[in-house]
Amino acid sequence: METAASAERASMEEITALAKRRGFIFQSSEIYGGINGFWDYGPLGAVLKANVKRAWWHDTVELRDDVVAFDSSIIMHPMVWKASGHVDAFADVMVDCKVCKHRFRLDHIEDRSKCPDCGSAGSFTEPRKFNLMMRTSVGPMEDSSSQAYLRPETAQGIFVNFKNIYQTARKRPPFGVAQIGKSFRNEITPGNFTFRVREFEQAELEYFVPDDGKDLECFSQWVERRKAWYAGYGIAPDRLRFYELTPQERPHYARAGVDVEYLFPWGWGELESIAHRGTYDLEAHMKLSGKDLRFFDEATKSHYTPLLIESSAGIDRTILTFLVDACERERSVDPNGKQTERTVLHFHPQIAPVQIAVFSLARNKPELVERSRAIETALRPLFRTSYDDGNIGQLYRRQDEIGTPFCVTVDYETMADGSVTVRDRDSMRQERVQAGALASYFGERL
Ligand code: ATP
């Protein structure tokens, strides 16, 4: 049996290569040379993504009787984005280098006197504003009246539906509305793999509270809940920080704000922003639409605009965090004293795309193959499983690289006494377990 002797973090290059090699993430439209800022999730990546979304949804919606589900359309009336401020103000300031022609976000350049790519001094154009919303046109005519936008965030769909939602769900503040969906931003400089992209998914919670003095306490409770969520899925605590925004860093209407940040190989990056947004969003829509979106309190027969606490997380950035945080290169010594190396993803079992891999020790022994397939089929309705056969060392390495917590091997002993070898990904420890007891064995561990 092997034991891990030392472990180190994998580099971004290794993680990107692994993600491609194992079918987690591919460059979009690769056969045409790719398109900057867009990525596809492969067979394992798509499962990983579904698991991450489910983990968020379970904690934010299913475990709460005060949060309801929502799913709004990507394209909305253009006035939505006028009211929200996106048409006028959702812009980054950019500059171009006149020498190498590369474009930069001004706030991403550390030394503004020279180009970070070609090093030329004084080569920047005048800074200009660039709106990040993706434009499209709706209907057969392409003129200004048909212009629409792909949403840059999911939240506005909830605000404009606030009245529909609270009336039909029969909810009164405090209550929340949650939504997961695609958002689009024409980022000036996409990069750092899937960290900054032009099409991504957001998981947003809009929690409406009465203005009764308990709003800041409620804000802190959501921050704590999100902290517990990341910790519960095993994100290293020393690589995660909850940065409290100063009043100068917050929008003028916000009463509190916390950015959730992870320490990526290139530095700290934002995963989520939690903000107390006051009455800003509902009021902006009431003003422009002329419609009353206030909550009507049946008990007191009066109207009021609830305060809003928002948690806005990026699914793609969370997935990247899970990948980066889980990925380690480990050196070990095998029983013969030989040095070996493996790359392993220490995914939480709820996040891992495959939870149990079942192997037949030999590919050319029909009775072993049949037995292992039967074991895999029996476990399949209960867990995420897969079947494979061949060289056992290679099979383990492959499952380690995709983060499968357990491997089960069917061998000749199985045919004699019904026991199989169960191997634990993290400790690499192996034990014999009766095949008939596997469902309860894994039920306790997964
Ligand atoms: P940044 O400063 O990194 O551009 P932001 O502050 O504009 O991000 P928000 O508007 O607060 O981001 O969006 C909430 C969340 O949506 C972010 O924390 C992030 O997880 C996700 N997100 C935003 N923009 C992108 C993007 N271009 N690619 C991937 N995820 C994104």
Side-chain angles (χ1 to χ4, degrees):
M1 198 185 298
E2 293 175 48
T3 45
S6 69
E8 55 191 71
R9 285 186 90 180
S11 69
M12 227 27 235
E13 291 70 33
E14 286 169 291
I15 292 163
T16 311
L18 184 149
K20 165 90 198 278
R21 184 170 72 246
R22 293 301 184 198
F24 283 101
I25 300 171
F26 306 136
Q27 191 182 19
S28 164
S29 323
E30 194 189 59
I31 64 165
Y32 291 103
I35 169 166
N36 200 4
F38 299 88
W39 297 88
D40 295 335
Y41 287 86
L44 289 177
V47 180
L48 179 63
K49 194 181 204 186
N51 295 346
V52 170
K53 290 199 273 187
R54 192 181 307 119
W56 184 89
W57 192 257
H58 182 64
D59 194 63
T60 312
V61 185
E62 291 171 349
L63 290 181
R64 309 272 314 200
D65 72 349
D66 57 347
V67 177
V68 297
F70 202 63
D71 186 39
S72 61
S73 62
I74 287 173
I75 294 175
M76 293 191 274
H77 196 290
M79 290 297 265
V80 169
W81 306 111
K82 187 80 190 153
S84 69
H86 285 83
V87 169
D88 298 322
F90 191 54
D92 283 336
V93 179
M94 65 177 184
V95 289
D96 292 306
C97 169
K98 286 184 233 164
V99 177
C100 70
K101 310 284 181 217
H102 289 179
R103 181 161 284 180
F104 304 94
R105 232 173 93 170
L106 193 63
D107 62 333
H108 284 177
I109 307 176
E110 271 172 29
D111 175 3
R112 294 188 185 174
S113 60
K114 61 177 197 290
C115 171
D117 281 4
C118 71
S120 308
S123 63
F124 289 132
T125 56
E126 282 300 308
R128 38 191 208 289
K129 277 196 162 181
F130 176 74
N131 193 296
L132 298 184
M133 277 202 294
M134 294 253 196
R135 268 180 279 257
T136 185
S137 105
V138 174
M141 305 292 281
E142 261 191 62
D143 56 24
S144 60
S145 69
S146 69
Q147 186 180 297
Y149 303 96
L150 304 188
R151 68 180 174 202
E153 60 173 40
T154 66
Q156 299 300 328
I158 294 175
F159 304 145
V160 298
N161 277 287
F162 177 67
K163 201 166 182 177
N164 287 335
I165 296 170
Y166 87 73
Q167 286 180 341
T168 54
R170 295 181 298 118
K171 291 286 180 202
R172 51 184 298 122
F175 82 97
V177 187
Q179 159 161 234
I180 297 180
K182 290 256 180 172
S183 293
F184 302 80
R185 295 183 188 180
N186 203 1
E187 295 282 354
I188 296 170
T189 44
N192 286 331
F193 198 22
T194 54
F195 182 81
R196 185 172 304 286
V197 289
R198 288 173 168 149
E199 173 177 342
F200 54 97
E201 273 188 84
Q202 289 184 310
E204 296 196 295
L205 167 79
E206 309 302 327
Y207 198 78
F208 300 94
V209 297
D211 196 354
D212 60 1
K214 296 195 202 127
D215 49 314
L216 283 170
E217 189 185 317
C218 180
F219 175 81
S220 305
Q221 284 165 359
W222 275 108
V223 172
E224 288 309 313
R225 192 168 180 102
R226 295 300 297 145
K227 251 185 212 172
W229 187 85
Y230 289 102
Y233 287 98
I235 299 300
D238 54 335
R239 293 183 204 140
L240 196 67
R241 71 178 183 199
F242 285 70
Y243 175 76
E244 214 167 298
L245 301 179
T246 62
Q248 290 74 32
E249 290 168 320
R250 305 194 293 252
H252 64 92
Y253 48 80
R255 295 192 193 174
V258 165
D259 280 352
V260 185
E261 298 179 337
Y262 180 77
L263 185 56
F264 289 99
W266 66 82
W268 292 97
E270 180 192 310
L271 302 183
E272 168 173 355
S273 105
I274 308 171
H276 181 323
R277 298 177 55 86
T279 54
Y280 180 82
D281 303 282
L282 288 177
E283 269 170 5
H285 286 297
M286 286 196 274
K287 204 165 151 204
L288 202 64
S289 69
K291 299 285 179 338
D292 189 358
L293 295 176
R294 291 175 302 167
F295 177 75
F296 180 67
D297 192 339
E298 292 285 353
T300 58
K301 301 279 179 231
S302 63
H303 286 92
Y304 70 88
T305 309
L307 303 172
L308 173 74
I309 288 156
E310 174 183 81
S311 134
S312 173
I315 293 293
D316 306 76
R317 287 187 186 177
T318 308
I319 292 171
L320 187 59
T321 301
F322 279 126
L323 267 173
V324 167
D325 203 61
C327 195
E328 270 185 341
R329 209 174 337 96
E330 284 182 3
R331 289 200 181 80
S332 353
V333 183
D334 76 6
N336 307 318
K338 204 175 125 222
Q339 290 265 356
T340 57
E341 203 180 280
R342 68 168 183 160
T343 303
V344 54
L345 290 178
H346 296 283
F347 279 144
H348 186 282
Q350 296 297 318
I351 295 298
V354 178
Q355 296 176 305
I356 306 163
V358 182
F359 308 142
S360 161
L361 188 64
R363 187 174 285 166
N364 52 5
K365 291 279 181 275
E367 68 277 18
L368 289 193
V369 172
E370 204 177 296
R371 188 66 194 272
S372 15
R373 284 210 178 267
I375 289 174
E376 197 260 343
T377 307
L379 293 173
R380 184 164 276 266
L382 307 171
F383 308 99
R384 291 186 292 277
T385 62
S386 81
Y387 171 82
D388 210 345
D389 50 31
N391 175 301
I392 206 75
Q394 282 171 5
L395 293 175
Y396 282 158
R397 291 291 174 268
R398 181 177 306 152
Q399 295 301 326
D400 287 345
E401 276 202 15
I402 67 167
T404 305
F406 291 104
C407 294
V408 170
T409 305
V410 171
D411 54 23
Y412 298 102
E413 256 179 272
T414 315
M415 308 315 282
D417 66 5
S419 71
V420 294
T421 299
V422 176
R423 184 246 198 196
D424 176 290
R425 173 196 67 201
D426 297 337
S427 66
M428 292 188 277
R429 238 175 263 130
Q430 303 183 2
E431 61 175 315
R432 296 298 289 190
V433 177
Q434 280 297 310
L438 284 174
S440 65
Y441 179 93
F442 289 125
E444 283 165 25
R445 287 163 178 79
L446 290 171

